Amino acid sequence: MNSWVRILVHVALLFPVLVDSAVRQYTFDVVMKNTTRLCSSKPIVTVNGQFPGPTLYAREDDTVLVKVVNHVNYNLSIHWHGIRQLRTGWADGPAYITQCPIQTGQSYVYNFTITGQRGTLLWHAHILWLRSTVHGAIVIFPKRGVPYPFPKPDDEVVVVLGEWWKSDTEAVINEALKSGLAPNVSDAHTINGHPGPISNCPSQGGFTLPVENGKTYMLRLINAALNEELFFKIAGHELTVVEVDATYVKPFKTDTILIAPGQTTNVLVSADQKSGIYMVAASPFMDSPIAVDNLTATATLHYSGTLANTGTTLTTPPPQNATPIANNFVNSLRSLNSKKYPALVPQTIDHNLFFTVGLGINPCPTCKAGNGSRAVAAMNNVTFVMPTTALLQAHFFNISGVFTTDFPGNPPHVFNYTGTPPSSLQTTNGTKVFRLAYNTTVQLVLQDTSILAPENHPIHLHGFNFFAIGRGLGNYNPKTDPRNFNLVDPVERNTIGVPAGGWVAIRFRADNPGVWFMHCHLEIHTTWGLKMAFLVDNGKGPNQSLLPPPIAQFGRPPDLVVAVPAINGSMVSAPVVITQAGFLDDNMDTDAETVV
C-alpha cells in the first residue's frame, strides 16, 4: 500500500463514521497506447491504456480522490464535467483557469465531494485537443436506499459517443492555427470507441449491446465528441428520456435523441421486439452551411439467442439538417420538479446579462492560407486570451496583472445579431472575468450571431447547474420574449445548445465561490477564444468561502493532499474504498426501487 493511501486509511480509522458516504480512490495513469481504427493505427493519449477511458463510479455525498499520473509528453489536466465542486474549485481541472497543468512525470490528486448530485456525467482532459481520446464516464448512484424516480432498470450500460481522426489531433489543430483556417473534420464518429463497419474498412467491428427479451435497460449516453452534436437512435425501439446532465426530467418517449458535446442523457429502452439484431446509430446534426464529418457510427443491439448470421434490422438516421427533430427533442425537456427533486428556479434576478456568442476575423500576418487573417471566436466581442498563471491562483493570492474584472455584461456594439453582419468582423483580445457577489442570482441570455455563419454553440458553465428558461430563433427581444419564460419546471443542465441564428436564456444562483470557466464545448471554438470566466466572491464565514489550495501546488509532496479531505469544511470520517479505476470492490448496486 503506498504512502498516501496509508495516510488516508489511518485518518479514517482515527475518527468515527459520521456520514453515510465513502472515500473512493482512483489512479489515472496517462499513457500512450497504439490503437487501430478505420484500418489504420496511431498512438493516442489514454488513461490506463483505455479508449474510452475507465468509468468513475461513486454515490451521492461520496468523496472522490483521483491521482492523475502523467507519463506522456504533453502537459495536461482533467476536468470532472458537471461536478459542482462546491468550494473545491482547485479540483475542477481546466488548465490555467483553476490549476497549472500536470507536467510530464508529475502527478496531481483531485479531491472533491459529490454533493447533491446523482446521475451521469463525464470526465475529460481540459487542455489542447487531448480530450479527443482522454475521456470517460462518471456514474453517480443515489444514496444507498434511495430509489430512482422511475422504474428500476434490469441493467445499466454506459454509451460514450465520440469522434476519431486518422491523423494526430494535435497536428490537426496546430495546422489549422498556423493557417488561420478551420481544421479538418474527423474521419469517423464512434460508439464506445468504435465506428462500426464503413465502406473503406468493412471488416472492423462495432460495439455490441446484448439484451434479453422482456428486460429494460438504462443507457447512460455521453457525447464526448470534440466538435459535433449528434443524433442517437436504435432501430425499432422507443427511448424513454429520464435524465439529462445528471438531473431528473419528466419522462417522455422518443425515437431520436439529440446530444451536444459535453451533454449526457439517460434513457430507458425495453427489449420488447422480436429477437434479432438491431442497428444503433449516431449521426451528426448541423443546420448551418458548415462542414462536418457526415459518417454515421453504428453499433448493434443483440437479443440473446439470436443466431450470428441473422440480418440486422436497419434504421435511417435523421437528415443532417433535421432542425424540427432537434427542436422537438429540446422542447420536450422539463425538470421533474417533484417534492424530492424541486426545480429551484431563481424568481428574481440581481444581474441581467446578455452575451453574444459567435465568430470573427482578426489580422494574422503569418497566416498565408488565410490571406493574412485568422478565424477567431468571442463572447461579447472579447476573444479570451489564456493566462500563464491560473486564474484561481491569481484570485486567491491577489496576484495582479493576470486578469481584469471588466468583462462586459452586454455587447459593446449593438447590431442585427442574426442579420447582416457589421462592417468590422474584428474582435478584441483580453483575459477578462465577470465578478459576482456570493449568492446573487443571474439571468444570462446567450445570443448567436451570423458573423461568418450562424451555428449552434453548446455552452458549458463550470461550477454550477442552471435552468434553461427560454429559447428562440432570431434576435432576443427583452420586452416580449420574457413573457414566454418557463419559471416553473425548466430543464436543469450544465451544458446548453444555443440554436443557430437564435438565443437561449438561463438562470442560476452564484452560490459557489471561486473562478468558473464558461465556454463553447465545440473544441475548435474554445481554441479560437469563445470563453470567459465568472469570479464569485466569498460569502460570509468559512462555509461560504473557497477552501485553501492543495499543498501540492506550492512545492510540497502531492501525496499529502489526501490526508485531510473535507466535506463542507469538516473532516471526512467515512469508509475508505480503494478502487482501481473502472472497477468497484464494494456493492454499488443502486438499491433503487420503483416509486409508486
Side-chain angles (χ1 to χ4, degrees), residues 355 379 444 446 459-461 516-519 531-532 534:
F355 292 0
M379 287 186 174
L444 170 59
L446 297 162
I459 301 297
H460 173 49
L461 175 60
W516 303 106
F517 211 18
M518 187 173 77
H519 60 94
K531 46 196 173 185
M532 57 82 66
F534 287 104

Side-chain angles (χ1 to χ4, degrees), residues 196-268:
I198 60 175
S199 58
N200 59 0
C201 188
S203 61
Q204 71 179 355
F207 172 70
T208 297
L209 173 61
V211 299
E212 295 182 29
N213 204 290
K215 290 189 175 182
T216 298
Y217 298 81
M218 184 161 73
L219 306 185
R220 296 178 177 268
L221 302 175
I222 297 169
N223 187 344
L226 281 190
N227 293 313
E228 295 183 5
E229 291 190 275
L230 296 169
F231 289 120
F232 178 89
K233 63 188 303 187
I234 301 175
H237 291 73
E238 273 194 323
L239 307 171
T240 300
V241 180
V242 295
E243 176 201 303
V244 297
D245 290 4
T247 64
Y248 295 132
V249 298
K250 291 182 173 67
F252 67 94
K253 294 182 182 298
T254 182
D255 66 356
T256 304
I257 300 298
L258 176 70
I259 185 167
Q263 291 183 336
T264 65
T265 303
N266 283 8
V267 299
L268 301 178

Side-chain angles (χ1 to χ4, degrees), residues 265-513:
T265 303
N266 283 8
V267 299
L268 301 178
V269 56
S270 294
D272 56 6
Q273 301 299 303
K274 65 179 182 180
S275 292
I277 300 174
Y278 295 81
M279 177 190 285
V280 180
S283 61
F285 167 58
M286 174 57 73
D287 56 356
S288 297
I290 294 172
V292 295
D293 173 2
N294 61 10
L295 284 180
T296 296
T298 59
T300 50
L301 182 149
H302 281 239
Y303 279 76
S304 62
T306 302
L307 297 177
N309 60 356
T310 302
T312 300
T313 300
L314 304 180
T315 186
T316 301
Q320 179 179 301
N321 61 349
T323 306
I325 294 176
N327 286 341
N328 181 65
F329 178 80
V330 173
N331 293 334
S332 297
L333 294 169
R334 292 285 186 273
S335 286
L336 186 60
N337 195 26
S338 65
K339 183 177 180 180
K340 186 173 180 61
Y341 302 105
L344 301 177
V345 187
Q347 298 298 305
T348 59
I349 53 175
D350 300 310
H351 297 276
N352 196 348
L353 307 179
F354 184 90
F355 292 0
T356 56
V357 292
L359 307 182
I361 298 178
N362 283 354
C364 176
T366 62
C367 297
K368 295 181 180 179
N371 294 319
S373 298
R374 72 160 67 251
V376 296
M379 287 186 174
N380 273 355
N381 208 50
V382 178
T383 295
F384 190 86
V385 177
M386 292 297 288
T388 54
T389 298
L391 297 185
L392 188 61
Q393 180 181 352
H395 164 58
F396 189 86
F397 291 100
N398 295 313
I399 302 172
S400 62
V402 177
F403 63 86
T404 60
T405 56
D406 58 344
F407 187 89
N410 290 279
H413 307 291
V414 177
F415 62 98
N416 182 2
Y417 305 116
T418 57
T420 303
S423 56
S424 174
L425 306 183
Q426 192 167 335
T427 69
T428 61
N429 296 323
T431 308
K432 300 175 183 289
V433 305
F434 192 95
R435 194 163 206 148
L436 297 169
Y438 181 84
N439 214 39
T440 53
T441 55
V442 178
Q443 178 175 294
L444 170 59
V445 174
L446 297 162
Q447 172 74 61
D448 183 36
T449 76
S450 60
I451 296 175
L452 297 189
E455 188 173 352
N456 191 311
H457 299 279
I459 301 297
H460 173 49
L461 175 60
H462 293 225
F464 300 94
N465 281 355
F466 51 76
F467 293 95
I469 60 173
R471 69 192 299 266
L473 296 178
N475 296 337
Y476 171 72
N477 186 321
K479 294 182 178 180
T480 59
D481 285 325
R483 299 172 189 169
N484 298 316
F485 283 174
N486 176 6
L487 300 180
V488 177
D489 62 351
V491 67
E492 184 179 355
R493 309 208 69 143
N494 62 61
T495 305
I496 189 74
V498 181
W503 57 271
V504 296
I506 65 174
R507 287 189 181 183
F508 67 95
R509 182 176 296 276
D511 58 357
N512 194 7

